Amino acid sequence: MECHDHEDSPKSAQTPFPPSTATSTCCKCGGPTTFAPPPPFSEISPPPIYRPIRAPAINLPPNNPSQQAIILAPVPQSQKVPLVSPPYHFQVPNKRIQSPNDIRRFQESDSGKNFLGFIVALSESIRSRKFSDPCHVSPAISSIVSTLETLIRWIDEIPPLQQASRYGNLSYRAWHDRLTESSESLMLNFLPDDLNSATIELVPYFTDSFGNSSRIDYGTGHETNFAAWLYCITRLGLIMEEDYQAVVARVFVKYLELMRKLQLVYCLEPAGSHGVWGLDDYHFLPFIFGSSQLIDHKYMKPKSIHNQDILDNFSNEYLYLACIAFVKKVKKGLFAEHSPLLDDISGVPTWKKVNSGLLKMYKVEVLEKVPIMQHFLFGSLIKWE
C-alpha cells in the first residue's frame, strides 16, 4: 500500500515496541505513514499536570481564606425595607459585635439580611444609568444633599494646619467638633415634627459616617455607617423606593465629594487599609454602584479603565470610572503594582460579573470582619436580634 503523509494515530504512542521498530499508522485510513511515531511518556518526562486555563478573577493575598469564601458565597439579593410604625421607641444605638460569633448572629438575622438587601437595591436602582439621567428628587433628598454641601463649606472655613506629619491634620478635629455640635439641628432640617425624637438614634450613625476624630482616619466602616444612616431614614419612610436612584446619583455622589475633600485637605489616614491588596484605601460602595451603572454598556468594558481618554471624558458620569481616575491621581507608578486587585478586576469580561463579585466581596470583606463591624451600631431601627 502506498504511504500517506497523514496524521499519526494516538494509538501508536501506546505500542509496546521500541520507537525504532514501531510502525506509525494514519489515524484516518490505518495505512502506514512516513512520520515516526511520537515517543512514549517516561518517568523522566511525565505528562504535564492539568491546570485550569483561568483562575477566578480576584487578586487577594496568597493563602487568604477570604478568597474561597467570596468565590463560594451566593450573590446577595435586594430586599424591600420594612417601615417602622408608631408608637416609636427610639433609643441611643450601641455597639454589640465583639467576636466572629456575633458577626454570624448579625448576618443570619433579619436586620443583617435586610441591610445588605438595601445595599443591593441601591445598586440595582442605578443600573445602566448615568448621573445626568433624570431621576425623582424628593424634598428629603434635596435637604440631605444641602446638608452635605454645608459640611463641604465648613472645610473651606476650617483650613488645615501647617504640620510636618504626613497623615492626620489636627484641623480635622475642629471640623468634626462642629459636625458633632450641629448634627441634631442638621437632622431636624428634614425630619417631620412627629419624627423629631428620632434624632437620638440617627445622630450617632451620622456623626460616625465621616471618620474618627481621635485617630483622624476614615475607612469602609465609616462608609458603612453612612449607608446605615440612609437605611434608618428609609425605615422612617423619608426615603422611598422611587428615591433610590437619587440616593446614589445625588446623595452618595455628594457624600463621596465631601469625603474626597476631607481626605485630601486633612490627610485622613486609611482606617484598616489592606494596602495594595485592598480594593481602595478608603471606599468600597462606589465601586459597587459604579459597576452597576456600566452593566450592558455598549462600548465600555471593565478593561476600559486603562484607557485614559475614557476616564477623562466619562468619569463625571460614571462612579466606577471616577474612582479609578482618583486612584490614578493620588497614587504614582504602575497601576498593576499599586492597585493589583482593581487591575485584576479589569480582566473580568462583563460588568455584571464585576458587580456581583463586588457585592459578594463587600459581604465577606466588610460586613463579616470583626475589626470593621465592632463599631457598627444597633438600636430600634437596626435591631440586634
Side-chain angles (χ1 to χ4, degrees):
M1 181 182 290
E2 186 179 354
C3 292
H4 300 270
D5 289 340
H6 290 165
E7 299 172 351
D8 293 334
S9 172
K11 295 181 180 179
S12 61
Q14 306 298 326
T15 176
F17 303 105
S20 58
T21 59
T23 303
S24 182
T25 58
C26 176
C27 64
K28 294 182 179 179
C29 67
T33 70
T34 58
F35 297 104
F41 287 118
S42 67
E43 294 182 359
I44 300 176
S45 179
I49 299 173
Y50 170 76
R51 294 180 183 276
I53 296 174
R54 188 176 188 278
I58 182 166
N59 198 341
L60 290 177
N63 303 320
N64 190 319
S66 295
Q67 179 172 357
Q68 193 71 8
I70 294 169
I71 294 170
L72 298 177
V75 179
Q77 301 299 311
S78 64
Q79 290 190 14
K80 291 184 179 295
V81 176
L83 303 181
V84 293
S85 55
Y88 304 115
H89 302 285
F90 300 120
Q91 62 189 67
V92 177
N94 297 305
K95 299 175 182 179
R96 297 283 190 172
I97 294 176
Q98 298 178 346
S99 67
N101 287 335
D102 294 333
I103 289 285
R104 282 191 291 272
R105 179 175 173 178
F106 174 56
Q107 293 298 324
E108 293 171 0
S109 69
D110 291 338
S111 295
K113 293 175 182 176
N114 196 242
F115 175 65
L116 180 57
F118 172 68
I119 300 292
V120 179
L122 290 180
S123 174
E124 291 179 353
S125 71
I126 199 71
R127 178 170 176 166
S128 304
R129 298 176 184 272
K130 305 189 298 290
F131 291 153
S132 59
D133 288 347
C135 60
H136 177 261
V137 180
S138 66
I141 295 294
S142 298
S143 182
I144 294 171
V145 171
S146 177
T147 298
L148 295 174
E149 289 173 342
T150 299
L151 301 184
I152 292 174
R153 287 197 300 272
W154 289 356
I155 301 175
D156 298 327
E157 297 170 8
I158 307 175
L161 295 174
Q162 296 296 321
Q163 60 185 49
S165 59
R166 176 186 177 190
Y167 282 119
N169 195 284
L170 297 178
S171 287
Y172 172 75
R173 289 176 178 164
W175 181 91
H176 202 278
D177 288 343
R178 186 186 291 191
L179 167 70
T180 304
E181 294 165 1
S182 308
S183 56
E184 185 170 353
S185 61
L186 292 173
M187 298 298 100
L188 294 174
N189 286 339
F190 60 87
L191 285 175
D193 293 341
D194 63 324
L195 290 175
N196 282 352
S197 58
T199 56
I200 189 175
E201 192 158 340
L202 294 176
V203 165
Y205 287 105
F206 187 73
T207 55
D208 203 29
S209 297
F210 308 98
N212 183 280
S213 60
S214 299
R215 299 186 302 270
I216 314 183
D217 65 3
Y218 174 87
T220 51
H222 302 103
E223 181 186 68
T224 300
N225 266 323
F226 185 72
W229 179 73
L230 292 172
Y231 174 80
C232 291
I233 294 175
T234 305
R235 289 214 64 194
L236 295 173
L238 301 178
I239 294 176
M240 307 303 290
E241 283 193 37
E242 59 264 27
D243 298 320
Y244 282 7
Q245 183 184 346
V247 168
V248 178
R250 303 292 184 268
V251 174
F252 200 85
V253 168
K254 186 61 66 175
Y255 169 73
L256 188 61
E257 178 187 340
L258 166 62
M259 289 318 308
R260 294 299 195 201
K261 190 164 185 176
L262 285 171
Q263 291 155 18
L264 293 175
V265 172
Y266 298 130
C267 303
L268 303 187
E269 187 170 1
S273 171
H274 293 288
V276 298
W277 296 110
L279 188 68
D280 182 82
D281 285 342
Y282 300 101
H283 294 283
F284 202 116
L285 291 177
F287 293 93
I288 293 177
F289 301 149
S291 60
S292 181
Q293 281 185 286
L294 290 160
I295 290 176
D296 296 330
H297 196 283
K298 188 181 293 187
Y299 304 111
M300 281 186 277
K301 307 300 178 187
K303 64 182 179 181
S304 299
I305 66 166
H306 300 294
N307 188 320
Q308 191 60 43
D309 286 341
I310 287 179
L311 296 180
D312 293 340
N313 290 291
F314 296 100
S315 59
N316 61 330
E317 289 280 18
Y318 296 99
L319 199 51
Y320 195 98
L321 301 181
C323 290
I324 297 296
F326 183 81
V327 168
K328 289 189 173 184
K329 174 184 175 183
V330 298
K331 294 187 177 183
K332 306 301 179 186
L334 294 175
F335 185 75
E337 293 181 357
H338 61 64
S339 302
L341 182 52
L342 289 173
D343 184 67
D344 191 40
I345 290 173
S346 70
V348 178
T350 66
W351 286 111
K352 186 175 182 179
K353 286 186 176 293
V354 172
N355 182 251
S356 61
L358 288 175
L359 283 169
K360 295 196 294 182
M361 188 177 176
Y362 181 72
K363 181 177 183 292
V364 172
E365 290 292 327
V366 178
L367 299 183
E368 293 183 0
K369 288 291 185 284
V370 174
I372 296 174
M373 296 302 291
Q374 65 182 347
H375 305 292
F376 198 74
L377 302 172
F378 296 89
S380 67
L381 298 173
I382 303 179
K383 295 181 178 180
W384 178 247
E385 300 170 322

